[in-house]
Amino acid sequence: MLTQAEFKLQVQEILQEYFDSCDTDEVIRSIVELQCKEFHPDVVKKAISISLDKHPRERELVSRLLTCLHPSPLKDRDMEAGFNILLDSLDDLTTDVPEAKNMVANFLARAVVDEVLPPAFLSEQNNHRPGDAVIEKAISLLSREHCTARLERCWGPGDGREVSELKVAMDQMLQEYILARELDECARCVKELDAAHYMHELVKRGVKIAMEQDGKDSSTQHEKSAIDAMAALFGFLVKNAIISEYQVAKGVDRLHRGMDDLKLDVPTAPALLADFEAMLHEELPTLAKDEKKE
């Protein structure tokens, strides 16, 4: 069982990854796996507060995430409690982000439009917090003509890159690397992905692509294999601080957890993964399989 502080740290990492991947299903799965229902209100507060000093894209992603988290795994009471915690901490948030109150008002109004919060929540808050500028601003936003259409675009038109698009870009880049074996060019493409917290997906997909090639091509036994090339790539990326050892370790862990499915496509997958790990540890002697820090 995690402590509340440990839960918050886990949620922060989940959210940072979400801003890269836009994968709401993965957020839901991760929060459910933490098994800390009593801390679920902190997800609301953490998601919104993190987005305040980012760009409109991230704030739109958070608004959309809240609709996906409700009514499961986050119940009505979790959403309301989370917004209450947020409102109670506004003075501190405003110290770091002067526009925090205006943005929180937009989050409140948008949550009502998205049916994440009941309209009665604002009425109750108005009674409990008389004269509160944030509550009054949210009520005002909901009173405007065409408020639903306006609030659906309150963070602008951009909603970020879809996870499916990111995965396609990764696959194309990795396939090109397997053919050309150009480390510098592949590293440049990885930087352009601008998805530092989603690099474990790159590791997983890269090793899987290499497994599929080596598992079907016996000739690679006598020349540099795709698995060898992939170990060289991730060693190069870590050494040049393009991805972290944590992301590599997490990607390898995901491959182990998905081994049953991998073996259906590549029967030799366990041996190939063992080869990859041995080669990787030659490239990165300090890499720990159970590393938890990024």
Side-chain angles (χ1 to χ4, degrees), residues 166-199:
L166 188 60
K167 289 178 178 178
V168 168
M170 286 179 175
D171 285 345
Q172 290 174 344
M173 177 184 64
L174 291 163
Q175 293 284 7
E176 289 173 8
Y177 168 71
I178 288 292
L179 292 173
R181 310 289 172 100
E182 294 180 358
L183 288 169
D184 289 331
E185 176 61 18
C186 191
R188 182 189 65 78
C189 294
V190 172
K191 287 181 181 178
E192 288 181 354
L193 289 176
D194 192 24
H197 290 83
Y198 201 52
M199 286 295 99

Short mmCIF file of all heavy atoms in Angstrom, two decimals, residues 166-199:
data_model
loop_
_atom_site.label_atom_id
_atom_site.label_comp_id
_atom_site.label_asym_id
_atom_site.label_seq_id
_atom_site.Cartn_x
_atom_site.Cartn_y
_atom_site.Cartn_z
N LEU A 166 2.04 8.65 -32.66
CA LEU A 166 3.37 8.54 -32.08
C LEU A 166 3.95 7.14 -32.31
O LEU A 166 5.13 7.00 -32.65
CB LEU A 166 3.31 8.85 -30.58
CG LEU A 166 4.63 8.98 -29.83
CD1 LEU A 166 5.48 10.08 -30.40
CD2 LEU A 166 4.36 9.22 -28.35
N LYS A 167 3.12 6.12 -32.15
CA LYS A 167 3.59 4.75 -32.35
C LYS A 167 3.96 4.49 -33.81
O LYS A 167 4.95 3.80 -34.09
CB LYS A 167 2.51 3.76 -31.89
CG LYS A 167 2.33 3.72 -30.37
CD LYS A 167 1.22 2.77 -29.97
CE LYS A 167 1.07 2.70 -28.45
NZ LYS A 167 -0.03 1.82 -28.03
N VAL A 168 3.19 5.04 -34.72
CA VAL A 168 3.51 4.89 -36.15
C VAL A 168 4.86 5.53 -36.45
O VAL A 168 5.70 4.96 -37.16
CB VAL A 168 2.41 5.50 -37.03
CG1 VAL A 168 2.87 5.61 -38.48
CG2 VAL A 168 1.14 4.67 -36.95
N ALA A 169 5.08 6.74 -35.90
CA ALA A 169 6.35 7.43 -36.12
C ALA A 169 7.51 6.62 -35.55
O ALA A 169 8.58 6.52 -36.17
CB ALA A 169 6.31 8.82 -35.48
N MET A 170 7.31 6.02 -34.38
CA MET A 170 8.36 5.19 -33.78
C MET A 170 8.67 3.99 -34.66
O MET A 170 9.84 3.67 -34.92
CB MET A 170 7.91 4.71 -32.40
CG MET A 170 7.94 5.77 -31.32
SD MET A 170 7.37 5.09 -29.73
CE MET A 170 7.65 6.50 -28.64
N ASP A 171 7.64 3.30 -35.15
CA ASP A 171 7.85 2.11 -35.97
C ASP A 171 8.60 2.44 -37.25
O ASP A 171 9.52 1.72 -37.67
CB ASP A 171 6.51 1.44 -36.31
CG ASP A 171 5.91 0.69 -35.12
OD1 ASP A 171 6.65 0.46 -34.14
OD2 ASP A 171 4.72 0.35 -35.18
N GLN A 172 8.21 3.54 -37.90
CA GLN A 172 8.88 3.93 -39.14
C GLN A 172 10.36 4.23 -38.89
O GLN A 172 11.23 3.80 -39.64
CB GLN A 172 8.18 5.15 -39.74
CG GLN A 172 6.79 4.85 -40.29
CD GLN A 172 6.07 6.09 -40.76
OE1 GLN A 172 6.43 7.22 -40.42
NE2 GLN A 172 5.03 5.90 -41.55
N MET A 173 10.63 4.95 -37.81
CA MET A 173 12.00 5.32 -37.47
C MET A 173 12.84 4.09 -37.16
O MET A 173 13.99 3.97 -37.60
CB MET A 173 11.97 6.27 -36.27
CG MET A 173 13.32 6.70 -35.76
SD MET A 173 13.12 7.69 -34.28
CE MET A 173 12.41 6.47 -33.19
N LEU A 174 12.27 3.16 -36.40
CA LEU A 174 13.00 1.96 -36.00
C LEU A 174 13.26 1.04 -37.20
O LEU A 174 14.34 0.44 -37.31
CB LEU A 174 12.21 1.21 -34.91
CG LEU A 174 12.17 1.94 -33.56
CD1 LEU A 174 11.05 1.35 -32.69
CD2 LEU A 174 13.51 1.83 -32.84
N GLN A 175 12.29 0.93 -38.09
CA GLN A 175 12.48 0.12 -39.29
C GLN A 175 13.59 0.70 -40.16
O GLN A 175 14.43 -0.04 -40.71
CB GLN A 175 11.17 0.06 -40.10
CG GLN A 175 10.04 -0.70 -39.42
CD GLN A 175 10.20 -2.21 -39.47
OE1 GLN A 175 11.23 -2.73 -39.90
NE2 GLN A 175 9.18 -2.94 -39.02
N GLU A 176 13.62 2.02 -40.28
CA GLU A 176 14.68 2.67 -41.06
C GLU A 176 16.04 2.45 -40.42
O GLU A 176 17.05 2.25 -41.11
CB GLU A 176 14.37 4.17 -41.19
CG GLU A 176 13.20 4.47 -42.12
CD GLU A 176 12.81 5.94 -42.11
OE1 GLU A 176 13.55 6.75 -41.50
OE2 GLU A 176 11.77 6.28 -42.70
N TYR A 177 16.06 2.48 -39.08
CA TYR A 177 17.33 2.26 -38.39
C TYR A 177 17.84 0.83 -38.62
O TYR A 177 19.04 0.62 -38.86
CB TYR A 177 17.19 2.52 -36.89
CG TYR A 177 18.38 2.02 -36.09
CD1 TYR A 177 19.61 2.66 -36.18
CD2 TYR A 177 18.28 0.87 -35.31
CE1 TYR A 177 20.72 2.17 -35.49
CE2 TYR A 177 19.37 0.38 -34.60
CZ TYR A 177 20.59 1.03 -34.70
OH TYR A 177 21.68 0.54 -34.02
N ILE A 178 16.95 -0.14 -38.56
CA ILE A 178 17.35 -1.53 -38.77
C ILE A 178 17.98 -1.71 -40.16
O ILE A 178 18.94 -2.46 -40.34
CB ILE A 178 16.14 -2.48 -38.62
CG1 ILE A 178 15.72 -2.58 -37.14
CG2 ILE A 178 16.43 -3.86 -39.17
CD1 ILE A 178 16.73 -3.29 -36.25
N LEU A 179 17.46 -0.99 -41.14
CA LEU A 179 17.99 -1.09 -42.50
C LEU A 179 19.31 -0.34 -42.65
O LEU A 179 20.27 -0.86 -43.25
CB LEU A 179 16.96 -0.54 -43.50
CG LEU A 179 15.68 -1.35 -43.68
CD1 LEU A 179 14.70 -0.61 -44.58
CD2 LEU A 179 16.00 -2.72 -44.29
N ALA A 180 19.37 0.88 -42.11
CA ALA A 180 20.53 1.74 -42.36
C ALA A 180 21.61 1.66 -41.29
O ALA A 180 22.78 1.92 -41.56
CB ALA A 180 20.07 3.20 -42.50
N ARG A 181 21.19 1.33 -40.03
CA ARG A 181 22.11 1.25 -38.89
C ARG A 181 22.85 2.58 -38.67
O ARG A 181 24.05 2.58 -38.34
CB ARG A 181 23.11 0.10 -39.06
CG ARG A 181 22.50 -1.25 -39.42
CD ARG A 181 21.74 -1.86 -38.26
NE ARG A 181 21.00 -3.06 -38.66
CZ ARG A 181 21.41 -4.30 -38.45
NH1 ARG A 181 22.55 -4.54 -37.85
NH2 ARG A 181 20.67 -5.32 -38.83
N GLU A 182 22.15 3.71 -38.86
CA GLU A 182 22.77 5.02 -38.67
C GLU A 182 22.35 5.58 -37.32
O GLU A 182 21.23 6.09 -37.16
CB GLU A 182 22.37 5.97 -39.80
CG GLU A 182 22.91 5.55 -41.16
CD GLU A 182 22.49 6.49 -42.27
OE1 GLU A 182 21.75 7.46 -41.98
OE2 GLU A 182 22.90 6.26 -43.43
N LEU A 183 23.25 5.48 -36.35
CA LEU A 183 22.92 5.89 -34.98
C LEU A 183 22.61 7.38 -34.88
O LEU A 183 21.64 7.78 -34.23
CB LEU A 183 24.09 5.54 -34.05
CG LEU A 183 24.29 4.05 -33.75
CD1 LEU A 183 25.62 3.83 -33.04
CD2 LEU A 183 23.15 3.52 -32.89
N ASP A 184 23.42 8.22 -35.50
CA ASP A 184 23.23 9.66 -35.38
C ASP A 184 21.89 10.11 -35.96
O ASP A 184 21.20 10.94 -35.38
CB ASP A 184 24.37 10.42 -36.07
CG ASP A 184 25.68 10.31 -35.30
OD1 ASP A 184 25.61 10.17 -34.06
OD2 ASP A 184 26.74 10.38 -35.94
N GLU A 185 21.53 9.54 -37.11
CA GLU A 185 20.27 9.91 -37.75
C GLU A 185 19.08 9.45 -36.91
O GLU A 185 18.10 10.19 -36.73
CB GLU A 185 20.19 9.30 -39.15
CG GLU A 185 18.87 9.53 -39.88
CD GLU A 185 18.55 10.99 -40.13
OE1 GLU A 185 19.46 11.83 -40.05
OE2 GLU A 185 17.37 11.30 -40.39
N CYS A 186 19.17 8.25 -36.37
CA CYS A 186 18.08 7.74 -35.53
C CYS A 186 17.97 8.58 -34.26
O CYS A 186 16.86 8.89 -33.81
CB CYS A 186 18.31 6.28 -35.19
SG CYS A 186 16.88 5.49 -34.43
N ALA A 187 19.10 8.95 -33.67
CA ALA A 187 19.08 9.78 -32.46
C ALA A 187 18.41 11.13 -32.73
O ALA A 187 17.65 11.63 -31.90
CB ALA A 187 20.50 10.00 -31.96
N ARG A 188 18.67 11.68 -33.92
CA ARG A 188 18.03 12.96 -34.27
C ARG A 188 16.52 12.79 -34.34
O ARG A 188 15.76 13.65 -33.85
CB ARG A 188 18.57 13.44 -35.63
CG ARG A 188 18.01 14.79 -36.08
CD ARG A 188 18.42 15.10 -37.51
NE ARG A 188 17.84 14.17 -38.46
CZ ARG A 188 16.58 14.22 -38.88
NH1 ARG A 188 15.77 15.17 -38.42
NH2 ARG A 188 16.12 13.35 -39.76
N CYS A 189 16.07 11.69 -34.92
CA CYS A 189 14.63 11.44 -35.03
C CYS A 189 13.99 11.22 -33.65
O CYS A 189 12.86 11.66 -33.41
CB CYS A 189 14.38 10.22 -35.91
SG CYS A 189 14.86 10.46 -37.64
N VAL A 190 14.72 10.55 -32.75
CA VAL A 190 14.19 10.33 -31.40
C VAL A 190 14.00 11.67 -30.69
O VAL A 190 12.98 11.90 -30.03
CB VAL A 190 15.14 9.42 -30.59
CG1 VAL A 190 14.70 9.35 -29.13
CG2 VAL A 190 15.16 8.02 -31.18
N LYS A 191 14.96 12.57 -30.85
CA LYS A 191 14.83 13.90 -30.24
C LYS A 191 13.59 14.62 -30.76
O LYS A 191 12.88 15.29 -30.01
CB LYS A 191 16.07 14.75 -30.53
CG LYS A 191 17.32 14.35 -29.77
CD LYS A 191 18.47 15.28 -30.15
CE LYS A 191 19.75 14.91 -29.45
NZ LYS A 191 20.88 15.79 -29.87
N GLU A 192 13.34 14.49 -32.05
CA GLU A 192 12.20 15.18 -32.67
C GLU A 192 10.86 14.65 -32.17
O GLU A 192 9.85 15.35 -32.24
CB GLU A 192 12.28 15.06 -34.20
CG GLU A 192 13.39 15.91 -34.81
CD GLU A 192 13.45 15.79 -36.32
OE1 GLU A 192 12.69 14.94 -36.88
OE2 GLU A 192 14.24 16.52 -36.94
N LEU A 193 10.84 13.42 -31.66
CA LEU A 193 9.59 12.89 -31.10
C LEU A 193 9.13 13.71 -29.90
O LEU A 193 7.94 13.82 -29.62
CB LEU A 193 9.76 11.43 -30.66
CG LEU A 193 9.92 10.38 -31.76
CD1 LEU A 193 10.18 9.01 -31.13
CD2 LEU A 193 8.69 10.32 -32.66
N ASP A 194 10.09 14.28 -29.16
CA ASP A 194 9.80 15.13 -28.00
C ASP A 194 8.84 14.42 -27.05
O ASP A 194 7.81 14.96 -26.65
CB ASP A 194 9.22 16.47 -28.47
CG ASP A 194 9.17 17.50 -27.34
OD1 ASP A 194 9.96 17.37 -26.38
OD2 ASP A 194 8.32 18.41 -27.41
N ALA A 195 9.20 13.19 -26.69
CA ALA A 195 8.33 12.37 -25.83
C ALA A 195 9.16 11.64 -24.79
O ALA A 195 9.15 10.41 -24.69
CB ALA A 195 7.53 11.38 -26.68
N ALA A 196 9.89 12.40 -24.00
CA ALA A 196 10.88 11.83 -23.08
C ALA A 196 10.29 10.80 -22.12
O ALA A 196 10.94 9.81 -21.80
CB ALA A 196 11.56 12.94 -22.29
N HIS A 197 9.06 11.02 -21.66
CA HIS A 197 8.45 10.12 -20.68
C HIS A 197 7.74 8.94 -21.32
O HIS A 197 7.14 8.13 -20.63
CB HIS A 197 7.47 10.89 -19.79
CG HIS A 197 8.16 11.84 -18.86
ND1 HIS A 197 8.54 13.10 -19.25
CD2 HIS A 197 8.55 11.71 -17.58
CE1 HIS A 197 9.12 13.72 -18.23
NE2 HIS A 197 9.14 12.89 -17.22
N TYR A 198 7.84 8.85 -22.66
CA TYR A 198 7.20 7.72 -23.36
C TYR A 198 8.24 6.88 -24.10
O TYR A 198 7.90 6.08 -24.96
CB TYR A 198 6.15 8.25 -24.33
CG TYR A 198 5.10 7.24 -24.75
CD1 TYR A 198 4.40 6.51 -23.80
CD2 TYR A 198 4.81 7.04 -26.09
CE1 TYR A 198 3.43 5.60 -24.18
CE2 TYR A 198 3.84 6.12 -26.48
CZ TYR A 198 3.15 5.41 -25.52
OH TYR A 198 2.19 4.50 -25.90
N MET A 199 9.52 7.05 -23.75
CA MET A 199 10.58 6.34 -24.44
C MET A 199 10.58 4.84 -24.16
O MET A 199 11.14 4.06 -24.91
CB MET A 199 11.93 6.94 -24.09
CG MET A 199 12.21 8.29 -24.74
SD MET A 199 12.33 8.21 -26.56
CE MET A 199 10.69 8.78 -27.05
#
